[in-house]
Amino acid sequence: MAVEKTPGERPVPVRRDARRNRDLLIAAAREAFAAQGLDAPLDDIARRAGVGNATLYRHFPGRAALVDAVFEGALSDTVSAGEEARAAEDAWTGLTGYLATVFAGLAADRGTNDLMTTGLEGVRALDAVHAHNHETVELLLARAQRQGTVRADVITEDLLLALAVLGRAVPALTATAPDGWRRSLALLLDGLRAAGPAAALPGPAPSPGSLAEVLRALGPHRR
């Protein structure tokens, strides 16, 4: 195995050095994404890791690959919360508890916020989480409607779109009041309740395709 030598140091195996650089880049990216979101400049991440841009791109050919490495397995808590919510006897309780858990994660980490509220493409680790989230909301919403606790004219895309838009505001809300998002989420969810007559919803319901377009437009946009 080839080695590299530096003055006054023992030879370091290239493979071990490459692993170390990769780990440094992932750690630096995790910190940068948490603080700045997924739009954090890649050259800043390389500097934070103490390596050059060429090293970064040798390990991660693009932003999506780096995001994938940083968040691989990191959203398992969201999936677990979804499974717990699905098991709730009362669908409304399961739905509101699940969304509170998701939004707590959005408030704690801007990178997680970007992942869950935008349509970032090419991140394999995210695809399963998005699919599970969609399925969880869809199942709980349908059950809550059958149980008579949610208005019948709301569809899954209605709720996911509203949640994504509110989710994008969470960092700003958190900056002024750490739990400010809880009030906004409660107000949004209250609009779903089936108690009493409700005004008809204006306009057509969003389709899965239009929801995906909106999520892509929400960002982030750096490559």
Side-chain angles (χ1 to χ4, degrees), residues 158-204:
D158 281 323
L159 180 53
L160 289 176
L161 178 57
L163 291 170
V165 173
L166 176 57
R168 296 303 288 162
V170 164
L173 289 169
T174 303
T176 57
D179 287 331
W181 59 268
R182 295 185 184 277
R183 179 182 177 90
S184 298
L185 179 61
L187 182 61
L188 186 158
L189 293 176
D190 194 55
L192 300 177
R193 298 303 296 264
L201 293 174

Side-chain angles (χ1 to χ4, degrees), residues 96-195:
T96 55
Y98 171 67
L99 293 178
T101 298
V102 170
F103 268 70
L106 302 186
D109 187 307
R110 290 197 63 174
T112 298
N113 188 299
D114 283 347
L115 277 179
M116 294 297 293
T117 61
T118 69
L120 187 65
E121 297 178 344
V123 182
R124 294 171 300 173
L126 181 61
D127 292 341
V129 176
H130 268 177
H132 190 273
N133 178 64
H134 188 287
E135 186 177 76
T136 297
V137 171
E138 187 171 50
L139 288 172
L140 290 171
L141 185 63
R143 279 179 50 208
Q145 288 170 328
R146 290 195 298 271
Q147 292 173 355
T149 54
V150 169
R151 54 191 297 169
D153 56 348
V154 176
I155 66 171
T156 304
E157 284 72 25
D158 281 323
L159 180 53
L160 289 176
L161 178 57
L163 291 170
V165 173
L166 176 57
R168 296 303 288 162
V170 164
L173 289 169
T174 303
T176 57
D179 287 331
W181 59 268
R182 295 185 184 277
R183 179 182 177 90
S184 298
L185 179 61
L187 182 61
L188 186 158
L189 293 176
D190 194 55
L192 300 177
R193 298 303 296 264

